Amino acid sequence: MEKLIITAAICGAEVLKEHNPAVPYTVAEIVREAKSAHEAGASIIHLHVRWDDGTPTQDKGRFKECIDAIKAVVPDIIILPSTGGAVGMTNDERLQPTELDIEMATLDCGTCNFGGDDVFTNTENTIKYFGQRMIERGIKPELEVFDKSMIEMALRLAKKGFISPPFHFDFVMGVNGGIGGDIRDFAFLRGSIPEGATYTVAGIGRYEFPLAALSIIDGGHVRVGFEDNVYLSRGVLAKSNGELVAKVVRLARELGREIATPAEARRILGLAK
Ligand code: KMH
Ligand code: ZN
C-alpha cells in the first residue's frame, strides 16, 4: 500500500473565528497554520484565502502573497488552491489562482445545496471551463465530489477531453446537501471510481476521523482541517490544524500506514515537479 498523503484544509471560506479562534484569516495566521500542519505530517495544503477581516476572497494577489509566505517557511509543501471559493462568486473570480504557478487546484464536479438558501453552483459548462483551464495551465485537478453523481460527471467530461487522467478524487462527505458520511456511503463512492484513480476523503464535522480511519485502511488518502471540522474530539476545539493532522498520523501509525512526504506525495499523484 502507498504511503498516506495527508491534506490540511486549513482555512476554508465559511468557517469563522467564532467557530474556533484559531481559524486563520491574515497571511501570518495562514502561514502559522500551514506550518503547524506540515510539521505534524501534512504534505498538501488545501488553500482558501481571506482578507484580514475574514472575508473570503479569490483575489490573485492575495493568493500569491499567501503562497509565497507559506513557501518561504515550508518550501517543499504542495499547495492546492481552491477554485470553489465561496458560494456566490463568479467563475472568473474563482479561477484567479489558476493564473499563478501552482501544481494542483480543486475542480468541483457538480452543484450542491450548502444549507439554508446557499447553493454551490457548478454547471456542466462551468466544470468544462475549469477543466479546460487546468489542462491548458498544466494544473492537476483534485476532483471534488459531494455526491456519487459528480463522479459520473467527472468521468463523462474526461471522455470528452475536459479532464485528463490519472484522476485524483476528493470525497467530500457529510455536507448538508451532499452524500452522508457512513460506511456504506464511503463504499459507494470508493467502488465508483476507476481502477488506478487515487482518492482522498474529507469528512465533515463528526465524520472526519471515522472516515479518515476507513480511508487509511482502504489505501486512500485523508484530508482534515478547519475547513471541514474544528474539533479534535467531541466538544474539544483543536488548537491548530496541526493537532488535527497529528491525530490522523496517530491513527495511521496504529493501523500500520506510513506517512508520505511532499516528494512522495508528488510521485503518488504523478505531479511533474
Ligand atoms: N467553499 C465552498 C463553496 C473547493 O475548495 O473547491 C467550496 C469549496 C470547494 O470549498
Ligand atoms: Zn475548499
Side-chain angles (χ1 to χ4, degrees), residues 145 147-153 155 167 169 171 179 184-195 197:
V145 296
D147 221 327
K148 198 254 190 183
S149 59
M150 299 190 195
I151 295 176
E152 275 140 21
M153 173 65 88
L155 297 178
F167 307 119
F169 290 90
F171 303 155
I179 197 166
R184 66 178 180 162
D185 301 317
F186 170 78
F188 191 35
L189 297 184
R190 171 69 187 92
S192 303
I193 60 173
E195 186 88 13

Side-chain angles (χ1 to χ4, degrees), residues 11-80:
C11 177
E14 288 82 20
V15 67
L16 300 169
K17 286 189 191 291
E18 284 81 348
H19 303 117
N20 183 327
V23 170
Y25 296 166
T26 67
V27 177
E29 288 168 348
I30 282 176
V31 171
R32 180 198 72 211
E33 288 305 306
K35 183 167 179 281
S36 84
H38 175 258
E39 284 171 354
S43 47
I44 302 180
I45 302 295
H46 169 50
L47 191 63
H48 289 252
V49 299
R50 313 281 187 101
W51 297 118
D52 285 354
D53 67 359
T55 309
T57 177
Q58 290 291 102
D59 182 79
K60 183 174 136 184
R62 186 65 163 187
F63 260 104
K64 183 163 181 357
E65 200 183 351
C66 289
I67 292 170
D68 289 350
I70 293 170
K71 290 274 185 181
V73 177
V74 278
D76 61 337
I77 196 107
I78 300 165
I79 309 271
L80 166 62

